[in-house]
Structures are given as C-alpha cells and as structure tokens.
Amino acid sequence: MVITEARLSLVRQTEFGLIPIDWQVIPLAKIGPFSKGAGILKAEANSGSIPCIRYGEIYTHHHNIIRFFHSYISEDVAKRSKQLKQGDILFACSGETKQDIGKCASFLATNETYAGSDIIILRPENYNSTFLGYALNSPTTNKQKSSMGQGDAVVHISANALKTIHLPCPPTLLEQEAIAEALSDADALVGALEQLLAKKRQIKQGAMQNLLTGKKRLSNAEDQWKVLKISEIATIQRGASPRPIDDPIWFDENSPIGWVRISDVTKSGMYLDDTTQHLSQFGVKYSRPVAAGSLIMSICATVGRAIITRIETCIHDGFVVFENLKIDQYFLYYKLQALESEWSKHGQTGSQMNLNTVLINSTLLNFPVNSGEQAAIAKILFNMDTEITALEAKLSKARQLKQAMMQKLLTGQIRLVPPNTEEA
C-alpha cells in the first residue's frame, strides 16, 4: 500500500476545503437509487427468525457497518417489509436531534434481511459501500444532514433531501476500497479494545461482589468479618459553600487551593488531581478544607461518587469527607464504589438527587477485622483498576487515531493509491 501526501499543485478548493484535483464532489442522487423500508412494528421485532434492521438500531448498535443483527421477524412480517441487498446504505430518517439525523451504516451481511420503516435505503452503483458508510458519517456530511432535518420533538429527513448531499469521492474503486480497508482496520482495533475493556470491567465487578462481601476469601485469610455502621468506622464531615456562590470574591485562579465540583469528580478516576475552580483566601474561610490524601464522596446530583484527593482542596455542601478512618482507606473506597448504585435508590429527590449525612452514617458495612486482609483486597481491585485505566487510555488513543485517519483519508490529504498524474 502506497501512502503519499497530496501536493499543493494537485489540489483544488471546494466546499470541503482542499481535495485532490482528480477527486469529484458528487451528489448522492448520482450514486444510486433511493427507496424506503417498510413495516416491522416494535411488537413484531422478535416474532420470528429472519433478520431485520430497525431504524433505532442504526443509532445504538451499528457504527458505519452492519454485520450483525439484534431483531428478527416472521415470514408474514417479511412479506410486507423491504428486503435488503448486500452493499445497501441504510439511513435512519427519524431521530431526537438534528445533530443525529441521517446516521447511516453500510449493510455488508449476506443473510436474507429486511429494513423497517423510518429507514431510507441507498443502493450504490459502482461505488464501494464500506467507503460510503464512513464518508457519509464524516463531519462534513453530518453537517449537511443536520441542516436538512425537519421537526422539533422528532426530527425527520427525507430521501429527496439526502439526494442533494454532496461528498468528495476518489476517482476509482481501487482507492475507495483502500480507504475502506484502512478505516475498517482502525474500526476493528477500536472494537477489539472495547470488547476487552468491557470484559475487564465485568471481571472487576465480579471480583468486587465476591471479595468485598466475603463470599470469596483470600488464601490464608481466617479472621472474622464484622458489620458496623459507617459512623463507627469514620467521621463524616459535610462540605460548606460561601454565599452568594457567584460572587467572584470567593475565587482566585492563581490560588493553590482547589474547589471540588461534581464535574471534577465525574471526569476523574480514583484520584482527584485538579479542579476547574480555585478558592481565594476568603473563599477557603467559608468552605471546608480537605487535605491531600482524603477520601471524599459526592452527595448531590451524581450521588455516591467516591474519590481520593491528591491536592489540597475544599469541598462544598454537595460532598462529604471521611475522616478518622478505622479501616483501610482504599478498602473503604471500593466499598463506597460498590454502594454507588444503592445510594441513588435511597437518596432524597427534589430538584436533584441528594444524600444526607444521617443516611450515610447509619449505613451498615461488612468488612474483615484484619487490616491486612482489607489492604490485600483493595490491592487486587486497585491492580484491576490500573489495567482498566491503561486500556481506557489505549482505546481513547485508538479512537483519536481513527478520527484523524478519517479526516485525512476522506478528503484526500493522504492517498493510499498513487494518483494518475497524467490525468491530473
């Protein structure tokens, strides 16, 4: 495979920016005929054994390419539906927002398969379907589709509107296939990492259920477990907020003292290393200072999210700090993590979900008496978290690489097939 950078003398300016001079900007109307799916009510989606595609699945299950199925219909339903052909491009023509409208995927399966209503079908003629699946979900075509969406509560796009969408296209099937292959390889890497990450998270979840409840004991662990209220193993202190909260006197971006917001916690992992806002000396006086190395937990909006601080900071009244711990801090962190979904069930509802310190203090925790066993359990889960974090970083990098590849390959900034310079 030959990779070349497009030379300035061999490009031209278009609505998509600079593209190779031998590429064309083509309306979808010239790529092939359009048709619509039909039938397949929600109640019929699992009425038989014949595969079908429903429009919502294009948003939730199929990313650029359709290879697998999630719904099946009976022969009677299939008779009034629309049969697909390998290579068809399927557009979801209804959606919640204009930004999502027209999401599409290329149908590459060989099974007898049918398309339900609210799906528009493009049947390409002499174009690579996989290439089109990627190109028609690129930012440039998504912007065009968004501008054509009609409606408020439910947004629709028509086949006539889709026909007017333009996209830059390589002049040969060979180059389209090369681009499709490269992006498919990038997709395969992303998919493999997603599956591995999901598996690792499931393994950790199972380990938490077994190790944090005593269902599975570590080797040589013989000491008993006991049950105490959280108030008996830690002192719970609620944060405080200076008022009025929007007064700039409380804040100083040059201050070393952070001020924890819910968003700071939700975007972090086990540790809090930075905050979006920082408190001035005045702000610190009216909040609750928390030392580096403290275990805190959100009790408002996103409730029950625990995190360990690695900076000096203050917490507002949407957080509590656990002090004077009588059990291993990391073991308690994982116990709180296991309880997060339960906190949401028992939190008080108002304008937003929240917990109170009475509920937290009265919550019962079971734990091993031996502090060494507590630390050993926490270490096992910590190592799993470390592996998961590394995989998340690898997946993020793979996704970024794929996006960069799409940007360069779908606009001809990088050519995988040498251009015909004589024609150019």
Side-chain angles (χ1 to χ4, degrees), residues 52-236:
C52 72
I53 307 295
R54 302 178 65 239
Y55 85 94
E57 295 169 350
I58 298 177
Y59 293 112
T60 56
H61 294 299
H62 306 296
H63 304 289
N64 302 308
I65 297 172
I66 298 172
R67 291 191 175 98
F68 306 103
F69 309 103
H70 302 271
S71 300
Y72 298 85
I73 54 176
S74 66
E75 292 184 5
D76 288 339
V77 176
K79 290 177 182 178
R80 51 182 166 81
S81 188
K82 173 73 176 181
Q83 186 169 357
L84 296 172
K85 179 181 178 182
Q86 186 180 32
D88 284 348
I89 306 294
L90 277 61
F91 295 86
C93 57
S94 294
E96 294 182 356
T97 69
K98 289 186 177 181
Q99 287 70 33
D100 291 332
I101 196 67
K103 175 79 164 54
C104 68
S106 54
F107 176 70
L108 299 186
T110 58
N111 309 60
E112 176 189 351
T113 306
Y114 294 81
S117 56
D118 279 341
I119 289 178
I120 295 174
I121 303 161
L122 167 61
R123 187 156 289 172
E125 297 174 344
N126 299 316
Y127 288 88
N128 182 272
S129 178
T130 306
F131 165 79
L132 291 175
Y134 288 108
L136 290 171
N137 283 318
S138 68
T140 52
T141 53
N142 283 340
K143 186 176 180 180
Q144 293 178 73
K145 288 182 283 187
S146 296
S147 68
M148 298 172 183
Q150 301 292 323
D152 295 317
V154 178
V155 184
H156 300 277
I157 192 168
S158 67
N160 286 334
L162 288 172
K163 288 177 183 179
T164 66
I165 288 175
H166 289 66
L167 76 157
C169 190
T172 66
L173 273 172
L174 180 64
E175 187 165 4
Q176 293 175 32
E177 290 166 358
I179 293 172
E181 181 181 356
L183 293 178
S184 293
D185 289 344
D187 250 350
L189 174 59
V190 169
L193 289 172
E194 287 174 340
Q195 290 180 7
L196 180 58
L197 183 58
K199 181 179 179 180
K200 294 294 183 182
R201 286 172 174 162
Q202 289 177 349
I203 291 173
K204 181 201 165 186
Q205 188 64 33
M208 289 178 68
Q209 291 173 355
N210 287 323
L211 295 176
L212 294 175
T213 60
K215 290 180 180 178
K216 182 177 181 180
R217 302 295 298 277
L218 302 181
S219 59
N220 301 321
E222 298 178 352
D223 291 325
Q224 297 298 312
W225 283 49
K226 64 180 178 180
V227 178
L228 292 176
K229 295 178 182 178
I230 289 182
S231 62
E232 296 177 273
I233 59 176
T235 302
I236 309 297

Side-chain angles (χ1 to χ4, degrees), residues 283-305:
V284 172
K285 292 180 180 179
Y286 292 94
S287 188
R288 180 173 295 279
V290 171
S294 297
L295 175 60
I296 64 175
M297 186 180 77
S298 60
I299 60 170
C300 184
T302 303
V303 300
R305 184 66 56 87

